[in-house]
Amino acid sequence: MAAAREYCAWVAVSPSGELTEAHEALRQLSLMHSAALRLPPELPVADCEAPDRRADEVMFDAILKRFGCMPFGHYWMTYGPTSIEIKADVVVGDLRDNLAEVWRDLAEGLLHWDAGEPIEAVWTWGFGFRISWGRNCADALRALHWWFDADHDRWNLPGS
């Protein structure tokens, strides 16, 4: 829960410079991925009576724009890279969309948490990690890592 709140708080602040934001995105995504791996392996049973809580779409659009500060938007990746029988397809990924989609799924879990629905929050985060934000997180981590590796000086954040 703390990692989700930290990610959403970072998203809510005005962006810094491109390099600083890229470093922070890499750090935040790493923390989120690690936190998700500590969620219960068996998803709790969510209360069917709990209200469906959705992140604000207007806010989503603003967050998507907020990530315009990233050093790149689109990147290439292979879809299905572990499949032996099916040829992997090269597809276009979108870093800004990856980051905003992670925010959306985490924010929805926080809405449950803040409404006193911790089981629904954990279910939302765990289910979303397995089917949605986990892939967005991993794809963004990979793209950012490759971007940093293309110029090793980028790894050294000024002032650190």
Side-chain angles (χ1 to χ4, degrees), residues 9 32 53 71 92 111 124 140:
M32 282 313 314
R53 302 196 185 278
V92 176
L111 289 171
T124 298

Side-chain angles (χ1 to χ4, degrees), residues 2-160:
R5 197 166 302 283
E6 183 180 340
Y7 184 91
C8 290
W10 165 63
V11 169
V13 299
S14 295
S16 302
E18 174 181 281
L19 185 59
T20 301
E21 286 298 306
H23 271 268
E24 188 61 18
L26 197 60
R27 189 183 80 75
Q28 289 288 341
L29 292 168
S30 297
L31 290 171
M32 282 313 314
H33 200 275
S34 178
L37 295 175
R38 292 190 303 274
L39 288 170
E42 294 293 322
L43 292 177
V45 178
D47 182 0
C48 293
E49 300 299 317
D52 191 21
R53 302 196 185 278
R54 298 280 176 205
D56 183 346
E57 285 304 311
V58 173
M59 184 72 151
F60 180 81
D61 290 340
I63 286 169
L64 202 53
K65 287 181 183 133
R66 181 252 191 260
F67 286 125
C69 66
M70 286 295 140
F72 61 93
H74 294 99
Y75 57 90
W76 296 103
M77 64 180 198
T78 50
Y79 185 76
T82 60
S83 176
I84 295 170
E85 298 175 15
I86 301 171
K87 181 183 168 218
D89 293 321
V90 176
V91 296
V92 176
D94 185 330
L95 178 63
R96 294 168 186 136
D97 187 65
N98 293 143
L99 295 168
E101 290 288 341
V102 170
W103 168 83
R104 180 193 335 240
D105 288 351
L106 298 178
E108 288 175 1
L110 284 172
L111 289 171
H112 282 292
W113 187 271
D114 293 343
E117 302 161 355
I119 292 172
E120 289 77 6
V122 171
W123 187 91
T124 298
W125 290 322
F127 184 73
F129 178 73
R130 289 170 176 89
I131 69 158
S132 175
W133 76 264
R135 289 183 186 149
N136 280 299
C137 183
D139 290 346
L141 278 167
R142 181 177 45 237
L144 283 163
H145 191 95
W146 278 99
W147 182 78
F148 278 104
D149 236 23
D151 180 348
H152 292 287
D153 288 337
R154 292 179 186 150
W155 286 108
N156 303 314
L157 185 62
S160 61

